[in-house]
Amino acid sequence: MKTSEPGTPAAADSGPPEDEGVRRWGLEDLTALDFDPFLTAVLREEPVARIRLPYGEGTAWLVTRHDDVKSVASDPRFSRRALADRDVTSGSPHAIAARHASLNYTDPPRLTAMRRVVARAFTGGGMERLRPLAQRTADELLDEMERHGPPADLVRHLHGPFPLSVVGDLLGLPEEDRTRMVHWTDVIMTPAPAPARSRQGRRSVREVVEALLAQRRGEPADDLAGVLAAAAADGEISDDEALSMATAILVSGAHAVRNNSANMVYALLTRPEQLARLRAEPGLLPRAVEELLRYIPHRSGVGLPRIATEDVEVGGVRIRAGEAVYCSYLAANRDPEVFPDPHTLDFDRPAVPHLSFGFGPHHCVGPMLARMESEVMLATLLRRYPRLALAVPPEEIAWQRGALIRGPKSLPVSW
């Protein structure tokens, strides 16, 4: 069964080329789950395009086709380490992740060694141990929502606290530190309107994580903080690397899953046929989650670029050594050469791997965790609330503004 997105992207007018073919990408806030018309136009007209973003210096290349994105993301001639000391055109007024001792700004083989440590907490067995805790958390949160009574805000009652609780269990974050993390992770990931507050949020979260790692050095545990503290004590990673990785996992795990899980519920509640099918075929849920991950434009703009360390040809375009290159995983997920009818949410789509968790050595470290959380939340909502519906018309839903990760600010529902 297929259901088309209302307002499927029309052919966008990307405007005349600027500065000898440079396209300016303003990263305007979009409506609901509308796909960025800039990406639609570039993917169709100029799959490897030179762009300028709102912040930073100069220009960069934007790669949008599925095969080209995979090629750049896995090619060692494109370096994240070389980005650490560069100011390039960007969608954020400042770096969100630490530029040094960070997975995001490290290349193999050091990156491989750092990821190997983190992977100890992200095994399949580890996720299965977390699932009962996640299910209990979801049930408790929804019990509280029922005591509140309809209408209720799912972002407040489920999508906000649930991912933070799960990543808190993974990390070993004390309960008393978790409540304020919801606020600070939101502030960190909404840098454009308030850069100073975003930087302060990053410092506040790092202070909490630093204290937790210090505690684990004296009180070992099997959680992620314990794994990182032990690896630092053994010399596998530095203290700064342990701090950077724990902070990044906490922020991204709490914020990205919060928004994308709410996006998934919004997508289903505005497509009653798809929702009814999932109720009738619960075994379809894992496949539906994968298609929702592919379909939903979960971020604004693009993530971090890479720097070409030598001249490389991509998609018939020569990229020179020293130039910055962005990969758009969102555009790659809508490449019609790989995903026919790409702007349609289709739970029967053949299993072609999407790129929502990235690709290559910098792909997301926690996709199993994100999938497990999405499945628990959706399955629990479907089971408990056969009449779950938006409590307001879709056009009245308020959405994040100026945020790196897209999602509803609130999601009022009845049941």
Side-chain angles (χ1 to χ4, degrees):
M1 179 183 296
K2 301 183 180 182
T3 308
S4 296
E5 166 71 14
T8 295
D13 180 6
S14 55
E18 304 177 3
D19 302 337
E20 299 182 2
V22 176
R23 295 176 184 247
R24 186 176 296 277
W25 191 7
L27 303 182
E28 294 83 4
D29 288 314
L30 300 167
T31 301
L33 300 183
D34 288 355
F35 194 72
D36 194 328
F38 181 90
L39 289 177
T40 301
V42 172
L43 179 60
R44 182 184 64 248
E45 300 165 5
E46 193 179 6
V48 182
R50 192 181 289 274
I51 63 166
R52 180 176 291 117
L53 291 161
Y55 302 96
E57 300 294 329
T59 65
W61 292 100
L62 176 65
V63 178
T64 53
R65 280 192 299 227
H66 191 274
D67 288 349
D68 292 341
V69 166
K70 289 175 62 178
S71 176
V72 170
S74 58
D75 190 331
R77 295 174 294 178
F78 295 100
S79 168
R80 282 277 185 81
R81 178 66 189 88
L83 179 64
D85 299 314
R86 291 279 301 273
D87 180 20
V88 303
T89 188
S90 170
S92 171
H94 62 83
I96 301 301
R99 285 182 177 266
H100 298 281
S102 165
L103 287 169
N104 288 319
Y105 292 91
T106 306
D107 294 328
R110 186 63 196 154
L111 173 65
T112 307
M114 293 168 68
R115 290 179 63 95
R116 188 179 300 121
V117 171
V118 176
R120 294 170 192 163
F122 283 100
T123 63
M127 293 306 98
E128 286 308 308
R129 285 191 294 274
L130 276 178
R131 186 181 283 265
L133 294 175
Q135 185 63 65
R136 183 179 67 192
T137 298
D139 288 333
E140 290 173 351
L141 290 170
L142 292 174
D143 287 346
E144 177 59 30
M145 185 179 79
E146 289 179 16
R147 285 190 286 271
H148 175 279
D153 178 9
L154 269 183
V155 171
R156 174 189 170 191
H157 288 282
L158 180 65
H159 300 294
F162 177 83
L164 181 60
S165 178
V166 173
V167 78
D169 289 339
L170 174 74
L171 190 61
L173 189 68
E175 289 288 344
E176 60 268 23
D177 290 327
R178 297 187 186 189
T179 302
R180 54 185 169 148
M181 290 300 104
V182 174
H183 169 70
W184 284 126
T185 56
D186 285 352
V187 168
I188 291 168
M189 298 301 286
T190 312
R197 282 180 56 75
S198 180
R199 285 190 289 268
Q200 176 58 48
R202 190 173 67 181
R203 287 192 293 269
S204 297
V205 173
R206 284 174 67 88
E207 288 170 2
V208 170
V209 174
E210 191 170 24
L212 175 61
L213 291 173
Q215 179 184 354
R216 285 294 180 270
R217 284 192 286 273
E219 301 173 11
D222 292 333
D223 50 43
L224 177 58
V227 168
L228 293 173
D234 291 342
E236 289 184 82
I237 57 176
S238 69
D239 288 341
D240 284 345
E241 287 170 341
L243 175 60
S244 176
M245 287 190 283
T247 302
I249 289 167
L250 173 60
V251 172
S252 61
H255 190 80
V257 175
R258 164 199 161 163
N259 284 287
N260 214 31
S261 64
N263 287 334
M264 289 181 180
V265 173
Y266 173 86
L268 292 172
L269 293 180
T270 53
R271 293 166 176 79
E273 291 183 356
Q274 298 284 48
L275 184 61
R277 184 176 180 197
L278 279 183
R279 292 191 192 286
E281 302 176 48
L284 184 63
L285 184 59
R287 191 200 304 178
V289 166
E290 292 305 306
E291 174 65 355
L292 286 161
L293 286 167
R294 179 204 70 85
Y295 174 81
I296 289 171
H298 63 280
R299 67 168 302 124
S300 299
V302 282
L304 291 175
R306 295 164 174 81
I307 304 297
T309 58
E310 60 182 80
D311 290 2
V312 185
E313 185 173 303
V314 178
V317 175
R318 181 164 294 278
I319 295 173
R320 303 292 182 182
E323 292 182 324
V325 184
Y326 282 98
C327 292
S328 175
Y329 298 117
L330 296 186
N333 281 345
R334 300 291 183 105
D335 187 342
E337 296 298 317
V338 179
F339 303 102
D341 197 9
H343 298 301
T344 294
L345 183 67
D346 179 8
F347 293 162
D348 294 316
R349 189 178 296 280
V352 177
H354 59 73
L355 301 183
S356 297
F357 295 113
F359 191 79
H362 286 96
H363 72 276
C364 174
V365 297
M368 286 190 294
L369 180 65
R371 288 183 170 103
M372 182 271 285
E373 291 177 87
S374 298
E375 290 179 14
V376 167
M377 278 187 277
L378 291 180
T380 306
L381 288 171
L382 290 170
R383 182 181 69 252
R384 290 181 63 145
Y385 306 114
R387 296 183 186 85
L388 188 69
L390 290 177
V392 299
E395 59 271 18
E396 292 184 14
I397 299 293
W399 294 79
Q400 305 281 354
R401 312 294 291 179
L404 300 179
I405 305 296
R406 292 174 62 181
K409 292 174 67 174
S410 62
L411 200 59
V413 296
S414 59
W415 58 91

